[in-house]
Amino acid sequence: MAKGEGAESGSAAGLLPTGILQAGERPVQVKKEPKKKKQLSICNKLCYAVGGAPYQVTGCALGFFLQIYLLDVAQVDPFSASIILFVGRAWDAITDPLVGFCISKSPWTRLGRLMPWITFSTPLAIIAYFLIWFVPDFHQGQTLWYLLFYCLFETLVTCFHVPYSALTMFISTEQSERDSATAYRMTVEVLGTVLGTAIQGQIVGQADSPCIPDGNASTVNRTQSSTSIKETQNAYLLAAGVIASIYVICAVILTLGVREQRESYETQQTKQMPFFRGLRLVMSHGPYIKLIAGFLFTSLAFMLVEGNFALFCTYTLGFRNEFQNLLLAIMFSATVTIPIWQWFLTRFGKKTAVYIGISSAVPFLILVALMESNLIVTYVVAVAAGISVAAAFLLPWSMLPDVIDDFHLKQPHIHGTEPIFFSFYVFFTKFASGVSLGISTLSLDFTGYQTRGCSQPARVKFTLKMLVTVAPIVLILMGLLLFKLYPIDEEKRRQNKKALQALREEASSSGCSDTDSTELASIL
């Protein structure tokens, strides 16, 4: 049958025998109505957004508390702790492209291509997470214990988060709907960091673990110290159990409330793209390289602050019993300001939001570096810093779909590369953060960090201040300079949106014409 609208309008009448048509009966002209765009409901967006909480709740607890837990609770020496943190983060980075490769080879199932990964990784991930916060009775193999279960958990949570991140491209074909769903997601993810901070910080904060004045163990009652350490260890286990429960609940809501949608032009793809060819094409896409380079430095800045913040508050500022409340203030402020940044980027553009949002952290980091220890000022700075944290959360995931759309326009016959985009996007930031955290923990060892000490040498305090203030400022400025090279502004986004819509309509009309014969046979 000839394809096209003219052939479609008269195809049925031409094939029907003339005797079937009653006298005076005229062939019905069937006009194809344009396919209505399917809008995501608020319920769909919320169910999708809830799926981002597990990664952030567990990641926040690990990011803020794992370093101080290894040093002061599990009492791992600083050198071994630096090995655990570096290898764990580096392995976490390596698993992203590996999982992306496996997902790209996964067939579509009744649940979709991405959902089975999320469903089957969840129960194993919560077991591994719980064992990270368990202190084994043996001391010789503690480093291997934490390294094993840290790497195992990071592998399993990657099997959850990489397909979940790629799901952004499959919940809707509309840019506006994806941006809206991303805003919902970022709000819930920042709320997840608030939950992770609140649960871990408040439960652990209730346990009183005595410090050792001047590193002299003889001044502390050993029996009391042993009992208090055990209480602190149990508090970490309780917090891990609560967070693991949240992980499971969010995974169930995501699985039941979200369905993957395949692009109409993707369903016509008969041959699957080889992974390494897809990787080569992705890594040669200019806007993608510029985007990950810019966010590599800005993400490193916030990760340095995250990884060393608890030690900085405890030893440099002297707020041993307040750091969990300061973290809560930062994350609560970030949660409240996510919708404001979503409005700002839709009103003034994403590149403008990047410059203003991320650079707003610099004055507050300078203030922290210069001011004396003052609790009220520190809380004010924490609330203000949350505004910049919100921008750092929202903007990377809001801009990446624009890069993928631009890639699809330049490579219209290449499909299934979304997991590659998302997995390697995370790979570079995680690997670099592993290096930075490993070096920062190792630098504490070189400067004479004292495990469970009530205070630290001046060199340790100075090193922590450099890691939390000066180094992040330099990284933020470098990242903002790289963003000047990022080519997708608001005008480019509008052009890409129109071109993609035309591509989808063309693919949809082609797919409909291919099914004319089958539909006609069923009517007859």
Side-chain angles (χ1 to χ4, degrees), residues 212-253:
I212 302 175
D214 301 324
N216 186 1
S218 62
T219 62
V220 180
N221 183 282
R222 293 182 180 276
T223 303
Q224 179 186 0
S225 176
S226 177
T227 303
S228 299
I229 284 291
K230 191 65 178 177
E231 291 176 357
T232 305
Q233 292 172 359
N234 291 336
Y236 273 97
L237 286 177
L238 176 60
V242 175
I243 289 176
S245 301
I246 294 174
Y247 193 118
V248 174
I249 292 171
C250 293
V252 170
I253 293 174

Side-chain angles (χ1 to χ4, degrees), residues 143-372:
T143 301
L144 182 60
W145 172 279
Y146 290 115
L147 186 59
L148 173 64
F149 287 108
Y150 188 27
C151 291
L152 180 60
F153 172 74
E154 294 296 353
T155 302
L156 292 167
V157 80
T158 297
C159 292
F160 182 104
H161 194 249
V162 168
Y164 172 74
S165 300
L167 190 61
T168 306
M169 302 302 297
F170 296 97
I171 57 174
S172 176
T173 59
E174 288 297 306
Q175 279 186 357
S176 58
E177 290 295 293
R178 293 201 302 256
D179 287 346
S180 176
T182 299
Y184 276 81
R185 171 191 167 186
M186 291 301 111
T187 303
V188 173
E189 287 196 0
V190 177
L191 183 60
T193 64
V194 173
L195 281 175
T197 303
I199 293 169
Q200 190 86 7
Q202 298 305 316
I203 293 178
V204 170
Q206 300 302 315
D208 182 23
S209 179
C211 58
I212 302 175
D214 301 324
N216 186 1
S218 62
T219 62
V220 180
N221 183 282
R222 293 182 180 276
T223 303
Q224 179 186 0
S225 176
S226 177
T227 303
S228 299
I229 284 291
K230 191 65 178 177
E231 291 176 357
T232 305
Q233 292 172 359
N234 291 336
Y236 273 97
L237 286 177
L238 176 60
V242 175
I243 289 176
S245 301
I246 294 174
Y247 193 118
V248 174
I249 292 171
C250 293
V252 170
I253 293 174
L254 172 66
T255 304
L256 297 179
V258 177
R259 291 291 178 269
E260 295 178 53
Q261 299 180 23
R262 299 183 72 176
E263 289 274 21
S264 55
Y265 55 77
E266 185 183 358
T267 59
Q268 299 175 28
Q269 181 83 358
T270 57
K271 187 176 180 181
Q272 194 174 26
M273 164 63 57
F275 176 81
F276 290 103
R277 185 190 170 203
L279 176 60
R280 187 169 62 254
L281 291 173
V282 166
M283 299 308 296
S284 62
H285 190 56
Y288 181 66
I289 298 300
K290 295 179 177 69
L291 183 68
I292 61 176
F295 275 115
L296 173 64
F297 287 97
T298 56
S299 298
L300 275 178
F302 289 100
M303 287 176 183
L304 270 179
V305 176
E306 177 188 77
N308 295 281
F309 189 78
L311 293 173
F312 175 73
C313 289
T314 300
Y315 296 115
T316 303
L317 298 181
F319 303 140
R320 175 176 290 273
N321 298 320
E322 290 291 334
F323 75 86
Q324 64 266 24
N325 297 323
L326 289 167
L327 290 177
L328 193 58
I330 293 173
M331 294 306 162
F332 181 78
S333 173
T335 304
V336 172
T337 51
I338 279 281
I340 299 175
W341 282 118
Q342 175 63 19
W343 169 84
F344 188 92
L345 68 87
T346 56
R347 177 68 176 82
F348 298 102
K350 296 180 182 179
K351 286 189 71 171
T352 304
V354 166
Y355 295 134
I356 295 177
I358 295 180
S359 63
S360 63
V362 174
F364 302 113
L365 292 173
I366 294 174
L367 181 60
V368 170
L370 297 178
M371 74 177 186
E372 296 295 329

Side-chain angles (χ1 to χ4, degrees), residues 27-41:
V28 178
Q29 301 291 326
V30 181
K31 292 185 178 180
K32 290 186 180 291
E33 296 183 358
K35 190 176 182 179
K36 294 183 178 179
K37 299 175 183 178
K38 186 177 179 181
Q39 302 293 320
L40 293 174
S41 66

